[in-house]
Amino acid sequence: MTHMQDTAATPPTDDARRRLRRELRLRRRQLSAEARRDAAERLCRQLRQLPEIQRARRVALYLPNDGEIDPTPLIPWLEHRGARVHLPVLKPLSRNQLWFVHYHSGTPMVANRFGIPEPETRHGAHRARRTPAWALDVILLPLVGFDDEGQRMGMGGGFYDRTLAFTRRPGPRPRLIGLAHDCQRVERLPAAPWDVPLDVIASDARVIRP
């Protein structure tokens, strides 16, 4: 697939970012179910080789939506190693922020306002079931686009950027690993000032360390 190239001398307009986001979402949605399964397996083979994942005992990942690459084949491997798996939950009564709630096969699930399954809010409200973002070892987060310099594009809601803004300051923090299908790679992707930098970007074909 031909990769897009941004040749403009100035940062892209909001309209340009929206157009690019639509195109990249379309790329991943157009993948067949078989291609998505194969990509998920290749991705998880890559992830199992990362020292950040091998060391991790508290890991947050996501359930795929809108064609996102699927990290869930990693869950049995993580649990076998004694790691605790968490899922993001829309934090009640907050502006676009997330909780991270312990997840296992018996966790009660509901669809959030975007139609994405997440641990039921009353279940997740118990502090014993939540881990503060700063105390997680690794957070795997979905990307809409990425480039070889490690710049990335999210869905535009700012949930992860707001939740993880603390990682710009000194103190304990998780390793942040962005995940995407390799077809979501572009030639050059200008950064937005609010983007929280990632430690690693992994696709089904490559690992990038910005």
Side-chain angles (χ1 to χ4, degrees), residues 20-201:
L20 178 57
R21 186 176 282 114
R22 281 196 300 269
E23 177 175 335
L24 294 175
R25 291 174 65 188
L26 181 61
R27 285 186 192 181
R28 70 188 187 191
R29 285 199 301 263
Q30 287 177 331
L31 294 170
S32 68
E34 182 180 6
R36 290 180 193 176
R37 285 193 300 270
D38 290 346
E41 291 297 334
R42 291 194 300 271
L43 170 75
C44 290
R45 283 198 295 270
Q46 302 250 47
L47 293 175
R48 289 195 295 268
Q49 301 303 312
L50 297 181
E52 294 92 342
I53 298 290
Q54 293 174 352
R55 291 192 299 262
R57 290 296 173 263
R58 296 176 298 276
V59 177
L61 48 77
Y62 60 90
L63 302 183
N65 178 61
D66 191 48
E68 292 166 343
I69 198 164
D70 184 0
T72 61
L74 194 66
I75 291 176
W77 183 84
L78 288 169
E79 292 178 336
H80 179 73
R81 295 171 64 87
R84 215 170 137 94
V85 175
H86 298 69
L87 290 180
V89 173
L90 301 183
K91 184 177 178 181
L93 306 176
S94 72
R95 185 170 180 266
N96 293 15
Q97 292 200 37
L98 301 169
W99 278 340
F100 294 98
V101 176
H102 179 218
Y103 170 76
H104 54 81
S105 59
T107 300
M109 304 289 286
V110 296
N112 64 25
R113 67 177 184 265
F114 301 110
I116 303 170
E118 66 177 23
E120 195 269 333
T121 304
R122 285 175 296 179
H123 173 88
H126 290 272
R127 288 187 180 274
R129 299 188 181 115
R130 284 187 277 133
T131 297
W134 61 264
L136 293 165
D137 297 315
V138 169
I139 298 177
L140 304 176
L141 55 153
L143 305 179
V144 170
F146 69 97
D147 66 18
D148 288 343
E149 300 301 316
Q151 303 297 346
R152 51 94 174 186
M153 174 179 283
M155 285 291 287
F159 288 91
Y160 283 99
D161 288 311
R162 287 187 178 89
T163 303
L164 301 175
F166 73 91
T167 61
R168 295 180 179 275
R169 303 187 295 270
R173 62 179 293 273
R175 306 297 282 178
L176 304 180
I177 302 178
L179 308 182
H181 292 283
D182 207 65
C183 65
Q184 295 168 248
R185 174 174 167 255
V186 299
E187 186 82 12
R188 187 158 65 104
L189 190 62
W194 53 83
D195 286 344
V196 170
L198 302 178
D199 299 292
V200 180
I201 293 174

